[in-house]
Amino acid sequence: MPAFGSVKAKILFGVSDTGLPRILQNMEMLAHLSHSHWTVILPGGWPGPSCPVDYMHRIADAADRPVYLYYIPAFNGVTITTAQFKDILSHPNIAGLKNSAGSIRVRKELLFLKQTLDFELYEGEEWAIDEALKEGCDGAVAGFGSVGGKLMKKIAGCVDSGDLDGARAAQFTLIDIFHQVYGAGAAWWNAGYEGSPYDVGIVDTGVDSAHVGLKFPGIPYSDRAFPGKVFHAGLSHD
């Protein structure tokens, strides 16, 4: 595992793309790097998986290091059942997932699976870090961490020490900062829209922008929705 001074850290590298061949090609092309894990969002629309279990298992079989699933159904339209999660997370080369479903039920189902399966569960919704950690998630991986990383660390510290009121207060401060930067009710801030962290360059485009050039069902599309600079960032494999 990569180390920074005396601190060991996991480095998750996103290889999401518009189809399985491209995802596997990305892993092969980037295999020389020293990161510890791969991360993938399943593609949506017509290149999306007919069976998420088979799709993730094929990725994990080909991967030279452990894989995390980035689950964000509102972005790609791919939903996964509890039974499918169980099959996916039973693969020995799938380390866990980042859950950005924004659903209490989905989180509870995944926590239920953690009772019998060995995998790591990270909360992906900035608005629910305190609740997720209190409920037993292993941590949080959120795009707003590049802006509010210290607050996220404070939330985790408060939960660890049993100071749930402090965690809740820090969570609300994080939400308030989010509103001041991006506005309240920015439902698609993480999908490459104008004014989003990806558009203004505050958050690394990374995994989320891999599909920026596509029209996904349920996501409004316009000439303003995907600025050219975001589209080009999405073509890179950073």
Side-chain angles (χ1 to χ4, degrees):
M1 185 176 298
F4 302 91
S6 61
V7 178
K8 292 184 178 181
K10 294 177 182 177
I11 299 178
L12 282 57
F13 203 108
V15 287
S16 302
D17 218 303
T18 53
L20 182 60
R22 288 288 300 270
I23 292 172
L24 299 181
Q25 181 183 32
N26 289 344
M27 289 196 299
E28 181 179 358
M29 179 177 64
L30 301 166
H32 64 284
L33 300 176
S34 60
H35 56 286
S36 57
H37 296 76
W38 300 111
T39 305
V40 64
I41 300 176
L42 297 178
W46 61 265
S50 58
C51 176
V53 176
D54 292 343
Y55 204 97
M56 280 301 300
H57 282 190
R58 291 180 66 183
I59 293 172
D61 287 342
D64 62 345
R65 63 205 79 182
V67 179
Y68 283 93
L69 168 64
Y70 183 171
Y71 185 56
I72 181 168
F75 177 68
N76 59 7
V78 177
T79 57
I80 299 176
T81 67
T82 302
Q84 289 173 328
F85 272 127
K86 183 177 181 179
D87 288 343
I88 289 171
L89 295 165
S90 295
H91 193 289
N93 204 32
I94 294 180
L97 75 155
K98 170 182 173 177
N99 174 34
S100 294
S103 164
I104 295 175
R105 182 188 63 80
V106 171
R107 186 198 302 148
K108 287 288 189 179
E109 293 284 358
L110 291 168
L111 287 168
F112 177 79
L113 290 177
K114 276 179 66 66
Q115 295 181 107
T116 55
L117 292 178
D118 183 18
F119 68 92
E120 293 178 345
L121 175 58
Y122 294 102
E123 177 62 38
E125 289 283 351
E126 285 84 349
W127 297 268
I129 295 172
D130 59 333
E131 297 173 4
L133 297 182
K134 181 180 67 175
E135 290 292 323
C137 290
D138 296 294
V141 179
F144 203 60
S146 57
V147 179
K150 289 184 178 180
L151 272 172
M152 290 173 61
K153 183 178 179 181
K154 182 176 181 180
I155 293 169
C158 287
V159 173
D160 287 345
S161 67
D163 180 11
L164 301 184
D165 288 339
R168 185 169 182 266
Q171 178 71 71
F172 285 156
T173 300
L174 185 69
I175 293 172
D176 183 46
I177 293 174
F178 182 93
H179 289 170
Q180 293 183 51
V181 176
Y182 307 115
W188 286 104
W189 71 275
N190 66 337
Y193 280 70
E194 185 170 356
S196 77
Y198 303 102
D199 176 30
V200 301
I202 292 178
V203 176
D204 183 10
T205 53
V207 175
D208 277 358
S209 63
H211 308 297
V212 164
L214 298 179
K215 299 180 182 180
F216 287 108
I219 299 180
Y221 184 89
S222 71
D223 292 339
R224 297 186 62 200
F226 298 113
K229 61 182 177 180
V230 181
F231 179 82
H232 291 303
L235 293 179
S236 69
H237 299 284
D238 54 352

